[in-house]
Amino acid sequence: MNNSVTNTARLLGAGLRALLVLTLVTGVIYPLVVTGIAQGLFGDKANGSEIKADGKVVGSSLVGQSYNLPLKKGQETPEPDLKWFQGRPANGLGSNSVNTQYKLILSGATNLAADNKDLVKQVEDAKAAVIKDNSVNGYAVKPSDVPADAVTSSGSGLDPAISPRYAELQVHRVAAKNGLPVAQVQKLVEEQTDGRTLGFIGEPRVNVLELNIALKNLVATN
């Protein structure tokens, strides 16, 4: 009887020691090592690729934002604030209808086929809006000037970048709305344009948030 109790106590003691060791290794040491390596080698990415302006985090370089005017009374869809560069359409975004305690925006694609009537209308309406909004005194946008990313949403609906062509199409409107010379705004776009990754992966792109931060600083110095 005593031997049985002694063996049980030993087993319990060994199990407890194993639990403590594994908890220390997997629950404390390993997370600290991984976090330390991530912060040391990939600090920016580990922290969410944050973008800062005026000493504050204003967003992430991986997530697109909207630049709209405040909703007016009775208005359901906000109008774009045309003094800022605009990103891609976000037609795939949805709202949280399961747990309404929180106001969430769900990202995603429309999953509409290329010949879907709703998608065709979305593209046509977006194209007409791009032409109208960006045609200013002395500069008229033609239908052939509008690139695909100006009228179609990405798979997530949160694409942070636009093509240099779409950014350049907006230059005259942004310059007029902010009282800036067109040449200065054009130079801003060129400075904020990133080339292909490693010189051959992907396409040249302009991060809209970073571009608008640069625009804000330009306006402040004029």
Side-chain angles (χ1 to χ4, degrees):
M1 183 68 177
N2 290 335
N3 289 337
S4 177
V5 172
T6 300
N7 289 336
T8 300
R10 288 176 179 174
L11 289 173
L12 288 174
L16 180 59
R17 288 193 296 273
L19 174 63
L20 292 174
V21 170
L22 289 173
T23 299
L24 180 64
V25 172
T26 62
V28 179
I29 296 176
Y30 177 75
L32 287 177
V33 171
V34 172
T35 301
I37 293 174
Q39 289 292 334
L41 300 179
F42 312 102
D44 176 62
K45 293 180 175 60
N47 292 327
S49 301
E50 297 172 340
I51 295 179
K52 295 183 178 181
D54 301 325
K56 299 178 181 179
V57 176
V58 295
S60 168
S61 62
L62 304 176
V63 180
Q65 298 187 22
S66 58
Y67 304 90
N68 297 325
L69 295 169
L71 280 171
K72 299 176 182 177
K73 188 175 181 180
Q75 193 178 42
E76 294 184 359
T77 304
E79 298 175 0
D81 189 343
L82 297 179
K83 71 179 181 181
W84 302 110
F85 284 92
Q86 298 293 314
R88 296 183 65 175
N91 298 321
L93 299 185
S95 58
N96 174 34
S97 59
V98 178
N99 187 347
T100 54
Q101 178 182 356
Y102 303 100
K103 186 177 181 181
L104 305 175
I105 296 177
L106 309 180
S107 70
T110 61
N111 290 329
L112 299 177
D115 59 351
N116 183 279
K117 292 181 179 180
D118 292 336
L119 179 61
V120 172
K121 187 176 188 310
Q122 285 179 4
V123 171
E124 290 176 345
D125 290 346
K127 191 170 187 178
V130 168
I131 293 172
K132 177 179 176 293
D133 291 343
N134 292 283
S135 294
V136 297
N137 187 28
Y139 178 77
V141 177
K142 297 179 292 185
S144 59
D145 295 332
V146 181
D149 62 310
V151 297
T152 57
S153 56
S154 64
S156 68
L158 297 172
D159 197 330
I162 56 177
S163 65
R165 184 180 171 190
Y166 185 28
E168 290 166 0
L169 182 147
Q170 301 181 60
V171 164
H172 286 78
R173 182 253 299 161
V174 169
K177 293 290 183 180
N178 289 282
L180 296 170
V182 170
Q184 280 192 339
V185 181
Q186 178 64 49
K187 182 180 178 183
L188 205 65
V189 170
E190 294 171 357
E191 292 172 346
Q192 294 296 319
T193 298
D194 295 321
R196 292 179 171 87
T197 303
L198 300 179
F200 67 94
I201 300 175
E203 295 294 331
R205 60 204 176 277
V206 184
N207 186 286
V208 182
L209 176 55
E210 292 177 345
L211 178 59
N212 279 331
I213 291 173
L215 172 63
K216 180 182 177 182
N217 293 335
L218 179 62
V219 171
T221 58
N222 277 266

